[in-house]
Amino acid sequence: RENPQGKNGRCQVLYMSGMSREDCCRSGRLGTSWTEEDVPNSTLFRWMIFNGGAPNCIPCKETCDSVDCGPGKRCKMNKRNKPRCVCAPDCSNITWKGPVCATDGKTYRDECAFLKARCKSHPDLEIQYQGKCKKTCHDVLCPGSSSCVVDQSNNAYCVTCNRICPEVTSPDQYLCGNDGIVYSSACHLRMATCLKGKSIGVAYEGKCIKAKSCDDIKCSAGKKCLWDTRMGRGRCSVCEEVCPDSRPDEVVCASDNATYPSECAMKQAACSMGVLLEIKHSGSCNCKDQLYNHLMSFKNNILPDAG
């Protein structure tokens, strides 16, 4: 009988019945346990409901002796004196000692910290460029043939640009960009983004129309139209219902010169008002922003009467 143990020490999944402990434990895997109880699936189901699993469950491995955790991991005894595989990447061959920016948009203090993060929960994580993650492509050196592009949240990413896009065969592929230009397909929009070095983004599907308000724009399911008052255009956006708890370093100053605890909170406010808001800069709006806003308001109210 081969079973992984739950936190309560009982076996909770039946892998195979009618096995000796020697056969069961031959694999050397940490998560394998054995019980001499006769455990047909129907009995295990009853034990799961009433007892939290099969009783008399004995782990195959109770120490780190002969445990193979695989590449980048090692066996370590935890606080409950149980052997566990933990991330321990080989950092001996790393030449760059400084911080690195990864594809999740986060800065890791060094490549070793990055390797630990990838081992723990992000197997697809890659390093984009050396140095801290930046808000501009200035001083970003992208590897190989990739190019630096600033996304809609003003984060610099290294991406591989398409040089050729397949010929468009259906008008269903047309997209209206946030710049008011019609793109033949998503590929053509990505190519334009690469050439520009700044994210264009999709306003809505189909060709751009001369909309007077959001009432003229039909958004796809799950999106809401937000009006860009500065450009006189609409944009379909995803509205997040709940924002995670924000950290002090996530505060942003938005295009309405108001301070929001995070980009998510800013987007929530934009959705509730139906007006497009964009990040003006990180941190709270300072006195300069307020003074500029006051002066512009004063100018707009006073100058028309002066003539």
Side-chain angles (χ1 to χ4, degrees):
R1 298 97 179 166
E2 194 175 346
N3 306 269
Q5 268 192 323
K7 287 185 179 178
N8 60 4
R10 290 174 177 265
C11 295
Q12 298 183 328
V13 178
L14 177 65
Y15 281 154
M16 198 171 289
S17 59
M19 292 183 81
S20 67
R21 177 168 184 178
E22 185 184 2
D23 288 337
C24 175
C25 296
R26 189 167 283 141
S27 69
R29 288 199 302 265
L30 270 190
T32 307
S33 301
W34 180 83
T35 176
E36 63 183 2
E37 302 285 338
D38 187 25
V39 197
N41 266 331
S42 56
T43 309
L44 180 63
F45 179 73
R46 261 201 326 277
W47 273 336
M48 283 288 293
I49 298 298
F50 298 111
N51 303 320
N56 305 320
C57 196
I58 305 161
C60 286
K61 292 284 184 184
E62 298 196 77
T63 69
C64 278
D65 292 343
S66 305
V67 171
D68 181 14
C69 289
K73 293 187 178 185
R74 65 180 174 86
C75 185
K76 186 180 178 184
M77 302 300 285
N78 69 4
K79 290 178 182 177
R80 293 165 58 217
N81 210 30
K82 300 281 185 187
R84 290 290 179 264
C85 285
V86 296
C87 290
D90 179 13
C91 299
S92 59
N93 295 326
I94 292 171
T95 52
W96 171 257
K97 302 296 183 185
V100 292
C101 181
T103 45
D104 59 354
K106 291 180 181 176
T107 299
Y108 292 88
R109 70 175 183 274
D110 53 35
E111 198 172 330
C112 198
F114 158 80
L115 290 172
K116 284 180 183 175
R118 183 165 72 175
C119 167
K120 282 181 180 177
S121 54
H122 304 288
D124 299 327
L125 201 62
E126 297 291 341
I127 291 175
Q128 292 198 89
Y129 49 86
Q130 293 174 343
K132 292 181 179 179
C133 292
K134 294 181 169 62
K135 294 283 185 184
T136 169
C137 281
H138 184 63
D139 289 340
V140 172
L141 187 64
C142 291
S145 60
S146 60
S147 306
C148 182
V149 171
V150 177
D151 73 359
Q152 287 174 289
S153 302
N154 289 326
N155 295 310
Y157 285 90
C158 287
V159 298
T160 302
C161 295
N162 290 335
R163 300 297 175 192
I164 300 171
C165 287
E167 197 174 329
V168 176
T169 55
S170 169
D172 294 341
Q173 291 179 268
Y174 285 126
L175 296 170
C176 179
N178 287 336
D179 54 0
I181 295 171
V182 179
Y183 293 93
S184 304
S185 69
C187 177
H188 287 87
L189 188 141
R190 282 195 300 271
M191 190 162 65
T193 289
C194 263
L195 293 171
K196 187 179 181 184
K198 188 171 176 63
S199 174
I200 295 168
V202 179
Y204 47 86
E205 294 168 2
K207 290 187 175 183
C208 299
I209 59 170
K210 289 184 178 179
K212 293 178 180 176
S213 72
C214 270
D215 294 338
D216 300 330
I217 297 167
K218 187 180 179 182
C219 293
S220 56
K223 291 187 176 183
K224 180 182 177 180
C225 177
L226 304 180
W227 192 252
D228 183 345
T229 51
R230 186 173 64 89
M231 300 301 293
R233 290 196 287 255
R235 182 185 299 185
C236 294
S237 301
V238 176
C239 289
E240 298 175 55
E241 292 180 9
V242 180
C243 287
D245 293 337
S246 53
R247 303 190 309 271
D249 63 342
E250 290 183 310
V251 171
V252 294
C253 177
S255 50
D256 61 347
N257 290 317
T259 301
Y260 295 91
S262 66
E263 184 181 355
C264 181
M266 178 195 77
K267 287 179 178 177
Q268 270 192 338
C271 283
S272 65
M273 295 186 290
V275 175
L276 180 72
L277 293 177
E278 292 181 312
I279 296 173
K280 197 173 179 184
H281 58 75
S282 297
S284 59
C285 297
N286 56 29
C287 297
K288 286 181 182 178
D289 293 312
Q290 292 166 15
L291 178 63
Y292 174 78
N293 202 30
H294 177 73
L295 287 172
M296 290 304 291
S297 174
F298 177 78
K299 176 187 170 186
N300 291 338
N301 287 333
I302 300 299
L303 287 185
D305 296 332

